[in-house]
Amino acid sequence: MCSRQHRGPLPDASYVAEVKRTCSALRESQKIEVSTTAIKRLLFSPSFRSSFKRVSRYHGLNFPLNFPSVLSEVNFLSVLSLLNFGSGYRVPLHRQTSRGAWDSIRALMFGLYLSSSTGQGDLLSARGMQTIGEQQIADLMSINLYVEQPHSEIPGMSISTLGGPLYDFVKLIAATLQETGKILEDLGDPDLGTFVVRSLREVDAAKHSADPNAGVDAILSKLVGAFPAFRDMAVIDNQPVYCFKKALFLIHAIVIRFGIRNTPLFQLPNSSQIPVFTDNVLPSMLVHFGVVDLSRSTAHGLHTIFPDAPDNARVASLLALPPPLPNSDSRTGSDSKLFPSEGPVLNEEQAYILRAAALDACERIIQVARTLHDDSLQEDQKWIQTITLPELDLWLWSVAKDRADYRKLERFVLKDTVFF
């Protein structure tokens, strides 16, 4: 199921370098502008300067679970990363469960882990992943898979049938788990965590390389090479593009969780220069912030998808300090169940172009930050020169939920994908 989206050859050089190169080349060929002026406007904006340090600290990878071993936690993180998709189903998820895609997958993972701890079999093992059915997934996520449809012959009567967008989402989850479990069993690995820990041994061999991303490369090539659900890549207008969002997320998640130990139990790569984990949030926010300019990108119609984005007054408002909350706080009033609105629905090619542009834009943001002159910065602004790609990724992703006006911003939608 996942392998149908695997098009084009895998990189024949450094995977990290190819991610950065192909995303930059695709952005440029599609005439998407990322100007230094727009980047500096973001970096020096009141919104960025007032929220970056606070918002970029929260990674959401601390779990209230009592793992029996390090391997058990690595396996949990690995399957969580494998299933870190579903952004296209954000609106129906909110309407049914009041959770978005990430929180829904976390809820599913808690359910799978706790079910495995109560004698029902290890659902996070290679064999257990192959046994998980669609209804079991729906139950753990509190999702109703049935939709009401008018009876074809009896007026005024409706019947419940399997269907709807969340049924499609659950089918993607089940197929991804089953496919990955089968591959792991064929490889002789009891679970995905075992595969990942074995791959981490490659980091030791790469530590003497002059390439700072050699350690990340070693693990990334193993994950992408083995599992179709990590092969986040495409060919757009005869150009290959590699994003590998979930695999890169997994590698950095392991660094976050185990890098804080004084003596890590396995060699960890340096992930400070890892490409951002490009999804639908990062590109959409960068367009709204005026950093990614789509006005000349006409080949695939991207210049029309966010029609209000070029409005300078609107950008200035978004980059200012947040507006004060109204006297009647919507979080406690009758509007507490306001749901996000669906953004522009894209095809796969459009989504890859936007995601590639966001990844390259983040590279450019870091480059501009590094080259800021001390004499152009006040003392309390010099920290901007040291921001990293993972911090920038986390700020963009988290700040989208941090302000009421940001939560109302549309994000593009792509359904039927297991990559973000």
Side-chain angles (χ1 to χ4, degrees):
M1 189 284 309
C2 301
S3 56
R4 68 181 174 81
Q5 299 188 59
H6 173 205
R7 292 175 293 144
L10 291 167
D12 56 6
S14 159
Y15 276 48
V16 172
E18 282 298 280
V19 167
K20 298 188 180 194
R21 183 191 69 78
T22 60
C23 285
S24 178
L26 186 60
R27 177 189 68 77
E28 292 180 357
S29 70
Q30 296 297 322
K31 299 182 179 179
I32 297 175
E33 301 294 330
V34 179
S35 71
T36 300
T37 299
I39 290 173
K40 288 184 176 179
R41 179 175 58 182
L42 171 69
L43 292 176
F44 289 104
S45 69
S47 174
F48 184 86
R49 289 187 289 113
S50 65
S51 66
F52 185 87
K53 291 182 180 180
R54 172 178 57 83
V55 172
S56 63
R57 287 191 187 124
Y58 178 70
H59 50 68
L61 294 173
N62 291 322
F63 306 107
L65 299 172
N66 185 22
F67 295 103
S69 66
V70 169
L71 179 58
S72 175
E73 184 172 2
V74 172
N75 188 52
F76 184 92
L77 282 172
S78 300
V79 180
L80 174 69
S81 301
L82 177 79
L83 298 181
N84 187 6
F85 61 87
S87 61
Y89 303 94
R90 172 183 178 232
V91 171
L93 282 168
H94 268 284
R95 291 190 180 278
Q96 268 208 33
T97 69
S98 297
R99 292 191 301 254
W102 169 245
D103 288 335
S104 294
I105 292 299
R106 278 168 43 109
L108 171 62
M109 287 300 301
F110 289 152
L112 292 172
Y113 180 82
L114 294 173
S115 297
S116 302
S117 303
T118 57
Q120 298 183 33
D122 187 357
L123 298 175
L124 297 178
S125 68
R127 183 163 298 178
M129 290 164 72
Q130 296 176 74
T131 68
I132 298 173
E134 292 162 3
Q135 189 58 57
Q136 187 175 13
I137 292 169
D139 290 342
L140 291 171
M141 297 176 76
S142 301
I143 287 175
N144 178 14
L145 297 182
Y146 290 83
V147 294
E148 296 291 323
Q149 293 186 336
H151 196 285
S152 59
E153 298 177 357
I154 306 175
M157 177 177 285
S158 62
I159 56 174
S160 294
T161 58
L162 273 174
L166 295 187
Y167 180 44
D168 296 335
F169 181 34
V170 167
K171 287 193 292 184
L172 288 174
I173 294 171
T176 300
L177 288 169
Q178 292 162 11
E179 176 186 64
T180 304
K182 177 66 166 59
I183 292 170
L184 287 167
E185 195 166 58
D186 291 345
L187 291 171
D189 287 318
D191 53 42
L192 186 54
T194 299
F195 179 94
V196 170
V197 169
R198 188 172 69 250
S199 300
L200 284 166
R201 295 174 188 157
E202 303 290 332
V203 176
D204 194 54
K207 67 183 180 182
H208 299 298
S209 170
D211 181 1
N213 291 309
V216 171
D217 243 4
I219 311 168
L220 184 59
S221 61
K222 297 289 185 184
L223 288 169
V224 172
F227 304 105
F230 284 125
R231 289 182 202 143
D232 182 5
M233 51 192 277
V235 176
I236 310 295
D237 296 346
N238 296 317
Q239 286 184 255
V241 60
Y242 307 108
C243 293
F244 303 144
K245 175 247 179 181
K246 296 192 304 183
L248 291 166
F249 176 89
L250 168 54
I251 294 167
H252 187 59
I254 289 174
V255 172
I256 286 176
R257 289 299 299 132
F258 300 103
I260 58 175
R261 297 171 182 250
N262 291 330
T263 53
L265 298 175
F266 29 70
Q267 188 73 31
L268 295 173
N270 174 5
S271 64
S272 63
Q273 297 181 43
I274 199 168
V276 295
F277 323 124
T278 188
D279 53 6
N280 70 323
V281 178
L282 271 61
S284 301
M285 295 304 291
L286 286 168
V287 170
H288 289 307
F289 289 156
V291 174
V292 169
D293 179 0
L294 303 176
S295 61
R296 295 178 60 243
S297 187
T298 59
H300 289 267
L302 292 175
H303 63 298
T304 65
I305 64 170
F306 289 110
D308 296 332
D311 186 320
N312 284 328
R314 181 174 178 272
V315 172
S317 173
L318 291 173
L319 295 181
L321 291 174
L325 289 171
N327 292 332
S328 56
D329 190 345
S330 62
R331 291 171 297 182
T332 58
S334 60
D335 294 332
S336 60
K337 289 295 182 183
L338 285 176
F339 298 112
S341 59
E342 196 96 294
V345 178
L346 306 188
N347 59 39
E348 189 180 45
E349 289 76 16
Q350 290 173 316
Y352 265 111
I353 295 166
L354 268 184
R355 295 173 65 215
L359 190 147
D360 189 51
C362 288
E363 297 282 337
R364 289 273 298 121
I365 290 170
I366 297 301
Q367 291 170 8
V368 170
R370 293 283 184 276
T371 57
L372 293 173
H373 296 295
D374 283 345
D375 55 11
S376 68
L377 299 170
Q378 299 176 17
E379 197 61 36
D380 63 351
Q381 297 175 343
K382 291 186 177 179
W383 59 269
I384 297 174
Q385 297 169 306
T386 65
I387 62 173
T388 65
L389 282 165
E391 290 171 342
L392 178 60
D393 174 284
L394 194 50
W395 179 77
L396 284 166
W397 193 86
S398 299
V399 83
K401 306 178 181 182
D402 192 57
R403 287 173 45 164
D405 53 342
Y406 288 1
R407 289 194 294 272
K408 294 177 183 176
L409 296 173
E410 290 185 344
R411 306 170 186 178
F412 80 75
V413 174
L414 179 69
K415 295 183 171 71
D416 195 29
T417 180
V418 300
F419 295 132
F420 66 94

